[in-house]
Structure formats: C-alpha cells, structure tokens
Amino acid sequence: MPRLTPEQRERAVGRLSTGDDQEAVAVAFNVHLSTVYRLQQRFVNTGRTADTQRSGRPRVTTQRQDRQILRHHLRNRFHTANETARNTVGNHQRPISGQTVRRRLAEQDFQKCRPARGPVLTQRHRMARQQ
C-alpha cells in the first residue's frame, strides 16, 4: 500500500472532520484502516498531520570534532582523509573512517586538494629554485 503524501493526509483529515467514517476514508485513499486511525489520533493530539522528525543514526563526531577536522585540513592541505581519521577519535572513543572525514569536509564546502604528480626534488633542485 502506498504512503500518503502530505496533501493526501490533509484531505483525509478534512474528510474525517466533515463526518466521513474512517473506513470510507481508508478505502478512498487505498490505505489500511489503522493508518487513518493513527492519522486522526496524531491530528487530535498535535494539531498536525506531518510525520514527526526521527532521530536517525547518531553522529560519530561532535560539532567540536567537526571543526577540528576542518582546521586540520586547512593547516595541512595535502593530508589525506584517512590520515586525519587515524588522528581523530570519535564519540565514546570509537575510531572514525576516512569517509566520515570526507563527509564532514563536504558539509563545510571544503574543496579537495591533491598534490601534483611530478619528479621528486632533491636539495640541489630546491636550492636552484630559490636562486
């Protein structure tokens, strides 16, 4: 059975408030009777038909750790996400993954920066470049 869209929920509550019985509303919207009953109870208790916000999976890092990850990458632009993950401990002393670091940086609109591939410069090359 399909889920009700927000507009359908509003129309269902409207039909219930005009006097239609729950069975007729359930048949009209092709949902189970218990769905209409719960929708009506939610509207009576909260005055809203929208779903409540769910908690989801808890975050592995706190906001403070997110800022620390960003600061670390701003100071050391060429460190990889995996290096940062190894140096950062998440909530409850759990390790975090490189993917978590990448997500936190993407949330802050941090652009990835990769070092250019080229020949390894020796001390002689560096001295010549400075002169």
Side-chain angles (χ1 to χ4, degrees):
M1 290 188 176
R3 291 184 64 135
L4 291 174
T5 65
E7 294 81 24
Q8 289 174 328
R9 290 182 195 149
E10 294 292 332
R11 281 191 275 147
V13 168
R15 287 183 67 169
L16 289 169
S17 64
T18 60
D20 285 358
D21 63 336
Q22 293 177 351
E23 288 181 31
V25 174
V27 169
F29 289 99
N30 190 27
V31 293
H32 196 268
L33 181 62
S34 64
T35 303
V36 176
Y37 176 77
R38 283 194 313 270
L39 182 63
Q40 187 177 27
Q41 289 301 314
R42 184 186 315 152
F43 185 74
V44 168
N45 292 337
T46 64
R48 300 176 50 196
T49 59
D51 284 339
T52 57
Q53 191 174 20
R54 291 173 177 82
S55 63
R57 185 179 179 134
R59 289 175 69 99
V60 178
T61 58
T62 62
Q63 289 180 347
R64 183 177 182 180
Q65 290 166 329
D66 293 346
R67 288 191 304 270
Q68 175 194 2
I69 289 169
L70 181 64
R71 271 195 312 270
H72 182 271
H73 270 273
L74 288 173
R75 288 183 186 139
N76 308 306
R77 284 228 175 235
F78 297 112
H79 275 199
T80 64
N82 290 331
E83 287 175 317
T84 303
R86 274 184 247 127
N87 295 327
T88 306
V89 179
N91 292 341
H92 309 294
Q93 302 302 316
R94 292 183 297 185
I96 65 172
S97 67
Q99 185 61 43
T100 300
V101 172
R102 285 185 215 93
R103 271 192 233 107
R104 297 305 183 259
L105 292 172
E107 288 171 1
Q108 300 291 326
D109 295 327
F110 185 79
Q111 298 296 319
K112 296 175 185 171
C113 185
R114 290 189 145 191
R117 292 274 186 181
V120 177
L121 298 180
T122 63
Q123 185 67 26
R124 184 173 56 93
H125 291 107
R126 288 190 192 105
M127 295 299 284
R129 182 182 256 177
Q130 287 177 354
Q131 293 174 353

